[in-house]
Amino acid sequence: MAQSVLLTGAAGRVGEAILGGLADEHEWRLLDRDPPTEDYPGEFVVADITEMEAVREAMDGIDVVIHLAGDPRPEAPWDSVLTNNIDGTRTVFEAAVDAGVEKVAFASSNHAVGAYETEERTPDLYRPHDDYLLDGTELPRPGNLYGVSKAAGETLGRYYHDEYDLSVVNVRIGNLTEGHPPIDYERGQAMWLSYRDCAHLFDRCIRADYEYEIVYGISDNDRKYYSLERAKEVLGYEPRDNSARHD
Ligand SMILES: NC(=O)C1=CN([C@@H]2O[C@H](COP(=O)(O)OP(=O)(O)OC[C@H]3O[C@@H](n4cnc5c(N)ncnc54)[C@H](O)[C@@H]3O)[C@@H](O)[C@H]2O)C=CC1
Ligand SMILES: O=C1O[C@H](COP(=O)(O)O)[C@@H](O)[C@H](O)[C@H]1O
């Protein structure tokens, strides 16, 4: 059944992948602080996610929130991630609960666990003979302040789930690249997420039933150090792409 979905950060790359695959599948309301420069499949709200009243208004009648808006730069400075990624994410969760939203899918990141990639483990970690695997049960281990902000977003979700019974899925997205896996970048190839697998994964976040989950968002790459088992089991994720089998 089609759901009413609020997509924050709709004007960005992940938003493009999701809308590219799912424009006709759901009723969309799009939110971004950047005004639209093209046609979008739904009402477009120009607002900053740190503005509580604007975010509350955008939640009206919404079943599911896909929360992408934020500073995506691994090297982003603290001021920016504190405002956009932590304060903004709290605002989104708070408004979602107040509006009676059922589910929130939060765009977390590989950088929430980037420090597991120690000097001893790399570069073997990125290669097929290595069997090291993170599965989402491990503690966050960020390697930068951006990763800290994503771990904080996951923890905010935990709080809003436990306190208010909101269904929350954190998708630790790998490396979304359009058309082909990253070139000459082993780490990026191991965590490649194709546009079509991205759209399908977030469709499953909209449709599946869950309580509080942490899953990895990558394609079914031959060499991976992130397990897809939880995404498959809980969400019904069935990735179709693989960086090793791409021309
Ligand atoms: N692209 C990737 O490979 C990955 C992305 N992510 C996460 O996915 C999300 C989306 O990333 P991308 O689409 O790549 O980034 P992007 O920069 O292309 O898009 C982010 C969008 O959010 C908007 N935005 C930023 N701060 C905002 C605010 N305070 N209020 C309203 N809108 C705001 C921007 O205007 C932009 O359109 C981010 O949270 C990022 O951390 C996580 C892992 C990998
Ligand atoms: O969280 C993110 O991760 C991807 C992949 O990280 P990278 O350090 O291997 O480039 C990054 O491209 C994206 O911008 C970021 O939001």
Side-chain angles (χ1 to χ4, degrees):
M1 198 179 74
Q3 302 275 290
S4 246
V5 185
L6 175 67
L7 182 68
T8 75
R13 292 168 297 168
V14 181
E16 177 186 53
I18 291 172
L19 293 174
L22 304 178
D24 299 331
E25 296 293 319
H26 302 286
E27 291 162 16
W28 295 97
R29 185 174 298 149
L30 299 323
L31 183 149
D32 205 290
R33 67 181 174 194
D34 286 349
T37 54
E38 55 191 88
D39 283 344
Y40 281 90
E43 177 192 0
F44 196 108
V45 178
V46 179
D48 195 297
I49 52 163
T50 60
E51 293 165 7
M52 180 59 96
E53 275 319 300
V55 178
R56 278 192 207 286
E57 277 180 36
M59 293 281 173
D60 188 38
I62 292 296
D63 303 312
V64 181
V65 176
I66 297 179
H67 175 41
L68 308 177
D71 190 332
R73 296 171 298 162
E75 71 284 6
W78 180 244
D79 281 358
S80 178
V81 296
L82 182 61
T83 303
N84 296 299
N85 298 9
I86 300 180
D87 190 29
T89 296
R90 189 206 69 96
T91 305
V92 168
F93 275 121
E94 186 78 22
V97 162
D98 286 351
V101 163
E102 292 167 27
K103 304 171 197 170
V104 174
F106 170 61
S108 186
S109 169
N110 61 88
H111 285 279
V113 287
Y116 285 101
E117 296 167 45
T118 57
E119 275 184 23
E120 293 72 33
R121 290 190 181 120
T122 56
D124 283 359
L125 185 65
Y126 312 133
R127 296 179 177 165
H129 65 265
D130 196 276
D131 59 5
Y132 186 82
L133 203 59
L134 299 173
D135 65 6
T137 60
E138 61 280 332
L139 286 173
R141 197 170 163 187
N144 47 46
L145 293 174
Y146 163 72
V148 170
S149 77
K150 290 299 175 180
E154 293 180 359
T155 304
L156 282 164
R158 181 81 242 184
Y159 166 71
Y160 282 95
H161 168 69
D162 287 341
E163 196 63 22
Y164 300 102
D165 215 20
L166 182 70
S167 295
V168 175
V169 60
N170 303 284
V171 182
R172 288 179 178 164
I173 302 171
N175 186 313
L176 180 80
T177 307
E178 189 172 14
H180 55 78
I183 295 164
D184 295 332
Y185 183 30
E186 284 184 302
R187 178 176 192 267
Q189 289 158 3
M191 62 165 73
W192 183 46
L193 177 63
S194 72
Y195 265 44
R196 79 171 161 178
D197 284 342
C198 179
H200 163 66
L201 175 55
F202 279 97
D203 191 40
R204 295 313 310 158
C205 292
I206 293 167
R207 295 179 195 269
D209 292 323
Y210 44 83
E211 297 289 326
Y212 178 83
E213 292 292 336
I214 295 174
V215 302
Y216 284 98
I218 61 171
S219 288
D220 194 14
N221 309 317
D222 275 4
R223 173 57 200 138
K224 49 175 116 40
Y225 53 98
Y226 298 146
S227 169
L228 289 176
E229 288 316 302
R230 200 69 191 155
K232 289 179 177 177
E233 190 182 319
V234 173
L235 303 178
Y237 177 48
E238 295 178 354
R240 292 163 68 189
D241 293 309
N242 177 343
S243 58
R245 281 197 263 109
H246 204 282
D247 296 330

